[in-house]
Amino acid sequence: MFLSLGVRFEANVEALNMVETAGNYGKHRRVPYLVEEDGKLKTVYVPAISGESLAHAYQEHLVREALSLNLPVCDDCRKGEFFKSMNRVHLQKKVDPIPDDPKRIEEAIVKSCVVEDVGGFLYAEKPPVRRSSAFQVSYALPVKSTALFATSEPQLHARHAQMDASSKKGNASEQMIYYVETGTALYGFTFNLDLDAIGVSAITAEPILEKEDIKARREAALKSLFRMLSSSQFGAKLSRFFPVGGITELVVTVTEHPFVVTSPIYDDYVEKTRRRLDVLKGFNESTYLATTEDGKVPEEVLKEVIDHLNDGETL
């Protein structure tokens, strides 16, 4: 089963993805973006949130959900340091001595860590072993029709240091000003999850785990997604720049084979997704669609999808 989500969320005065600091200036990530204005195409630079940032947040939620279900998570991933068995130093924490057979290396890693099972890894030693991530996530970008209204503006802040009479000038600043570039936009992003890849070897396509273990890991993967969206716990600087806004629209599909929802950066993405699914039905493939169109809140839609997968005994 393949799950795909299109998410739209409004974020005002956010600093979810900062890319560099120059002096006292923290810069928001921006990307070139193609938009149409007065019948002509033009490139504008808009605030954006990288897929890496969203993926990191998802895997942090996956750690918590996996541990709550008593599923294995390696020490590095428990700390939110997703090295992913990249070399002998990290792999030896899971299996020692390290086998020569790539299949046995993959098996050892998958059995030891849910995050590396779902999120993939690249062991870059001999023999090299690569496991693709079972989930995919796009950049979060402004919705096309509103992209020209998306902004990133620096906000002035100041920190003060209390000085007493004995303090010597030059030892500490009495005041430090700094700027944080904040973004404001209606964002859209896509998230895909290949449930069939969890607990299954990327080398042989054979199950590595028992059926019940695979079901438990699929459950953890879905609950992590639910928790990330429901709590808005993704991105940086949440302590002082928690975005003002929230999820405005959500569409979810479940299909037998890979199918990706039309990107939510387009205004007609729900209708186009529905029409594309209708074509799949003509091939006698089972499809499922849930949206917030009928007034449901995102949590109701996500719960509906999880119940659908439970009814189909995917979980």
Side-chain angles (χ1 to χ4, degrees):
M1 286 291 171
F2 195 90
L3 181 139
S4 182
L5 286 87
V7 184
R8 277 187 172 189
F9 68 97
E10 180 182 344
N12 297 286
V13 196
E14 52 83 11
L16 292 169
N17 196 179
M18 312 304 282
V19 289
E20 63 177 330
T21 300
N24 64 346
Y25 192 95
K27 189 177 179 183
H28 197 289
R29 180 180 297 279
R30 277 185 284 184
V31 296
Y33 203 50
L34 196 63
V35 298
E36 185 175 342
E37 187 179 35
D38 299 329
K40 295 180 180 178
L41 292 176
K42 61 186 292 187
T43 300
V44 296
Y45 283 81
V46 295
I49 303 161
S50 72
E52 286 284 2
S53 173
L54 296 171
H56 185 91
Y58 173 71
Q59 290 174 114
E60 286 190 328
H61 287 278
L62 183 57
V63 170
R64 285 194 280 269
E65 292 299 329
L67 292 176
S68 71
L69 294 171
N70 293 319
L71 298 174
V73 179
C74 72
D75 290 342
D76 289 333
C77 290
R78 282 173 186 247
K79 300 172 189 170
E81 297 172 345
F82 302 118
F83 296 119
K84 305 287 190 69
S85 305
M86 62 184 183
N87 55 29
R88 299 185 70 85
V89 173
H90 294 285
L91 181 55
Q92 277 175 333
K93 298 176 184 176
K94 302 179 180 69
V95 54
D96 193 11
I98 296 174
D100 295 327
D101 185 352
K103 295 192 290 292
R104 291 186 59 201
I105 292 175
E106 183 195 31
E107 180 181 328
I109 297 172
V110 168
K111 286 183 175 178
S112 301
C113 185
V114 172
V115 176
E116 290 176 76
D117 178 8
V118 177
F121 59 82
L122 173 60
Y123 175 62
E125 301 268 7
K126 292 183 179 180
V129 184
R130 175 178 178 272
R131 180 178 176 82
S132 296
S133 172
F135 75 92
Q136 305 163 342
V137 61
S138 72
Y139 266 50
L141 298 172
V143 170
K144 283 273 182 176
S145 59
T146 66
L148 294 178
F149 302 103
T151 62
S152 53
E153 284 290 321
Q155 302 298 322
L156 172 65
H157 296 270
R159 289 196 178 110
H160 298 271
Q162 190 171 16
M163 304 289 289
D164 57 39
S166 62
S167 297
K168 297 179 180 178
K169 284 190 175 180
N171 287 345
S173 297
E174 294 183 37
Q175 174 179 282
M176 182 185 75
I177 61 172
Y178 63 102
Y179 296 86
V180 177
E181 202 172 64
T182 57
T184 289
L186 177 61
Y187 289 107
F189 72 91
T190 306
F191 184 101
N192 303 320
L193 178 61
D194 186 357
L195 292 166
D196 290 338
I198 297 173
V200 174
S201 171
I203 300 172
T204 66
E206 296 294 325
I208 292 174
L209 306 171
E210 297 295 326
K211 189 176 178 181
E212 290 305 312
D213 292 330
I214 291 176
K215 289 174 69 173
R217 292 187 178 202
R218 289 174 175 173
E219 181 182 346
L222 288 168
K223 283 186 173 178
S224 306
L225 182 58
F226 182 104
R227 202 74 67 187
M228 183 178 85
L229 296 177
S230 179
S231 66
S232 298
Q233 294 297 306
F234 55 84
K237 282 189 172 294
L238 297 181
S239 61
R240 296 296 182 271
F241 292 89
F242 192 85
V244 181
I247 296 176
T248 59
E249 294 179 23
L250 177 68
V251 58
V252 189
T253 62
V254 179
T255 51
E256 293 179 48
H257 304 290
F259 173 89
V260 178
V261 299
T262 301
S263 173
I265 65 172
Y266 302 110
D267 287 338
D268 58 352
Y269 74 107
V270 179
E271 182 54 30
K272 277 198 173 175
T273 299
R274 185 176 282 116
R275 287 172 57 191
R276 292 170 55 222
L277 280 178
D278 286 343
V279 175
L280 283 188
K281 290 176 185 173
F283 298 151
N284 294 320
E285 288 188 25
S286 67
T287 63
Y288 181 82
L289 173 72
T291 78
T292 52
E293 276 186 319
D294 52 3
K296 292 176 184 170
V297 297
E299 286 81 357
E300 290 172 328
V301 172
L302 291 167
K303 178 65 166 54
E304 185 180 307
V305 172
I306 292 174
D307 289 344
H308 168 76
L309 290 168
N310 267 318
D311 292 343
E313 298 185 353
T314 300
L315 299 181

